[in-house]
Amino acid sequence: MDIVAVVVVAFWVMLPAYIPNNVAVLAGGGRPIDGGRTLGGSRLLGDGKTWRGTAAGTAAGAALALLLNQLAPAATDVLGFSVPTFPALVALGLAFGAMLGDIGASFLKRRTGRQRGAPFPGIDQLDFVVGSLVLAFIARPSWFLETFTLPVLAAVIVITPILHISTNVFAYAIGVKNEPW
Ligand code: CTP
Ligand code: MG
């Protein structure tokens, strides 16, 4: 695979993990997952992690993966190299893993004295990648190893923070997100 193919495949395969956090921002609200509970004086997760946001984000990411499966043959034709398709369990794993990674990061933020919305450089940009990759691996180890070759993984690590920062700055600029990270 040449570099363009690697980057396109990395983007395609991670789309179901990219969407959940953005959908959660739009759909979030209502009851926080931690129900207001605290641990050592700080909230367990905080008001920024809600059941509704998590469910909507997961559903949107998984649905997008299934839609991409429908588009894959046409995309493969147009691009001249094949894009991967998602087994159903992987679709769910990528989407829910992204939400879980983000929730895990909030847990760490609260343990390190960071208030809701405080930045956590590095973690903010990659937490959901770790979650989605781990759950995708658990869902289908053989699919994971075939799809996430070392070049694709390297591309994911490079393009994800760039995309994450630019979409959040955009979401902040149009007023749907409270902070630009
Ligand atoms: N959101 C949600 N449920 C999630 C993730 C996000 O409802 N599982 C919504 C919340 O409204 C949240 C917003 O999306 O405020 C932005 O998400 P994020 O930046 O992850 O949360 P923060 O409010 O910044 O909180 P934290 O410091 O815990 O990251
Ligand atoms: Mg935040």
Side-chain angles (χ1 to χ4, degrees):
M1 269 200 279
D2 63 23
I3 183 137
V4 175
V6 167
V7 170
V8 171
V9 166
F11 179 68
W12 183 280
V13 80
M14 288 304 284
L15 266 177
Y18 290 152
I19 292 307
N21 288 290
N22 299 301
V23 171
V25 172
L26 299 175
R31 204 174 129 72
I33 295 172
D34 67 9
R37 275 181 281 273
T38 57
L39 178 66
S42 300
R43 285 287 293 277
L44 202 56
L45 301 173
D47 284 331
K49 304 296 118 144
T50 68
W51 290 107
R52 197 167 81 202
T54 307
T58 302
L64 179 65
L66 301 181
L67 176 70
L68 290 175
N69 283 348
Q70 303 302 310
L71 302 176
T76 296
D77 265 4
V78 171
L79 293 166
F81 52 85
S82 59
V83 292
T85 54
F86 306 92
L89 206 56
V90 168
L92 197 61
L94 285 169
F96 184 56
M99 295 271 75
L100 217 52
D102 177 60
I103 289 168
S106 289
F107 179 80
L108 291 180
K109 286 188 193 179
R110 303 299 93 84
R111 305 287 74 72
T112 54
R114 290 176 169 79
Q115 298 302 312
R116 175 185 180 184
F120 202 166
I123 306 286
D124 275 329
Q125 287 73 39
L126 289 169
D127 52 13
F128 64 100
V129 177
V130 175
S132 58
L133 293 183
V134 168
L135 287 211
F137 177 77
I138 292 171
R140 275 290 178 85
S142 56
W143 180 92
F144 182 91
L145 296 174
E146 273 163 36
T147 310
F148 287 99
T149 58
L150 280 182
V152 170
L153 270 182
V156 167
I157 305 294
V158 173
I159 66 176
T160 302
I162 298 171
L163 287 170
H164 188 259
I165 290 169
S166 37
T167 48
N168 284 338
V169 167
F170 177 73
Y172 174 72
I174 63 169
V176 299
K177 202 170 187 301
N178 293 331
E179 306 88 18
W181 48 78

